[in-house]
Amino acid sequence: MDAVPPPSLPDPFALVSDQLRPLDELLSDLVGSEHPVLTRVAQQFFDLSGKRFRSTLVLLAAMAANGGRPGNAQQQQLAEITEMIHAASLLHDDVIDMTDTRRGAKSAHRIYGNKVAVLAGDFLLARASVLLSRLNDTRVVELQATAIEEMVQGEVMQLKASPQELLQMDHYVNKTYRKTAALMSLACQASAKLGGCEPKVEAALQAYGRHLGIAYQVVDDLLDFTGPSDTLGTTLGLPALSHLKQGLATAPTLFAADEFPEVGAMVQRRFGEEGDVAAVSRLVAASDGLPRTRELATNHAAQAAAALGVLPPSAARDALLRLCFDVLNRKA
Amino acid sequence: MDAVPPPSLPDPFALVSDQLRPLDELLSDLVGSEHPVLTRVAQQFFDLSGKRFRSTLVLLAAMAANGGRPGNAQQQQLAEITEMIHAASLLHDDVIDMTDTRRGAKSAHRIYGNKVAVLAGDFLLARASVLLSRLNDTRVVELQATAIEEMVQGEVMQLKASPQELLQMDHYVNKTYRKTAALMSLACQASAKLGGCEPKVEAALQAYGRHLGIAYQVVDDLLDFTGPSDTLGTTLGLPALSHLKQGLATAPTLFAADEFPEVGAMVQRRFGEEGDVAAVSRLVAASDGLPRTRELATNHAAQAAAALGVLPPSAARDALLRLCFDVLNRKA
């Protein structure tokens, strides 16, 4: 049975919902009415960023670092900036990967073309820079810019891995940190910095974000093999196998390669031969790859939870703890 | 006869060459050895950015604002940052416009793919943000980020102009400011700010950069019709007509539309019918479009020169003045 959040832990999204500005207000601040095309693209991507997970995370980190009291205006601004950087990375990822769909919707570059997707991403990054600079804290600008660099370097690691690196679990985890977890980790750290926390609190929130982000992505990689399911575990669709189809080995495949050497050979040729994707999918299912991947995610979630230990007790700390279980519980 | 710089004005590039760090040192600082792909792309684009025009401009502005003494370390850093932002915009423009060549070389996205071009541009923007934040001046970060926003908005203006806007000279000049001149203008202003100049000097350098940048781009648009030539004016190749082929009307076409109403109709359909490009090219040549375009560029160059009046006399001020003539004198 999967980990289930104890009902006594508060809902992370409910706890900060009154600190998240309404989306239309945020968008109108962001792009004004001058550029309806950019507004539409931004709107679409804020919609797709769903629950504004990263904003929620930054606001909870601010509260937890502050003994449970709501974050200050700077921290609330940081929450919006972090979501903007995430949206920009989605826009640029779509151009990069030639993805046809994102969460079922047509991806922006198919609707508007590469042109507008690259421009809208650049626009969001530039606007994020302006807003960051107004926070008047150089260290915070540096943390957020470092997060963007990590995301880029993670993409490059993925693109340019040598055949040997493709088989290394360390390489996979490092890439996963950079692509997904770095923004969460460094935004949590920046949030603590803006609250004037002591260094050990800042370090704890950075570690929390890092491990939570890795767990989040590892579960994503697992779902790519198992397919979406409802809360009772009933399968709702076919596994996407999108990473295999892109030539990418993730945790389930790497664990399977421990048991089946032929998987390793297929990883190193990026599943480039006829039948490779189906064969790997079958061998992963026959191996301990899926349970070992779940264990990997669970261990990172546990490390995230452990990092919270230095924070004073508060509803916000409990909500951060609950996220450690919620990420393991994702069904789609 | 074209304007020729009086020989007594100093060579702008020679004046600051000892303040420009060697390219290999700069690149190794920038990307390290971890990501050879990014290094190669960055190298290519620094090469293509030629004489490092924007770095030179920022360094000269620093000196001119400072009575001729070399700029401080912050201003030298700003010069490099400005070139990085320019290189990032070239990388993203190449993806955006599906350009096949840039200055004769294969553009990066043809060699490395959209993936690496978008990533390398993002990497340069993120690194520029980090370096900017270390300058510890929020207003300077804001100026540079605003420049990036202007560049994006200029691209969007170009992409989404209404048929009516396509015919407006104001729209063309405004778009030209945003796409090309904003970075020069705001970087000159930021350079003045980092030198602790009085507001009138800052305003003068901002105006200088704006008019110089517009003149620079208007000459570029002129060369698109006349083709490259040697210094004696001998034609070296066919006109590229690249803007017409992309559906874009620039100054020569807009002036020609004043004389030949059929040009206006073609502008509004973005030269989409068979034979439009050839017809416009012929009508532009038959009109006063080219001399009027040269006059437009010359007037902006003169306004740039006029803005220098408030600066104290120095070799750097004279070098900035010479750039006003050099841009008019460009042959390719």
Side-chain angles (χ1 to χ4, degrees), chain A residues 127 133-134 136 138 142 149, chain B residues 127 133 136 138 142 149:
Chain A
R127 186 52 62 98
S133 71
R134 291 188 190 153
N136 266 316
T138 301
E142 186 148 350
E149 278 192 21
Chain B
R127 185 52 62 98
S133 71
N136 265 317
T138 301
E142 185 147 350
E149 279 193 19

Side-chain angles (χ1 to χ4, degrees), chain A residues 6-26:
Chain A
S8 58
L9 292 174
D11 180 319
F13 298 95
L15 201 61
V16 299
S17 62
D18 61 343
Q19 294 172 54
L20 285 170
R21 287 198 295 156
L23 195 67
D24 53 353
E25 186 184 319
L26 199 155

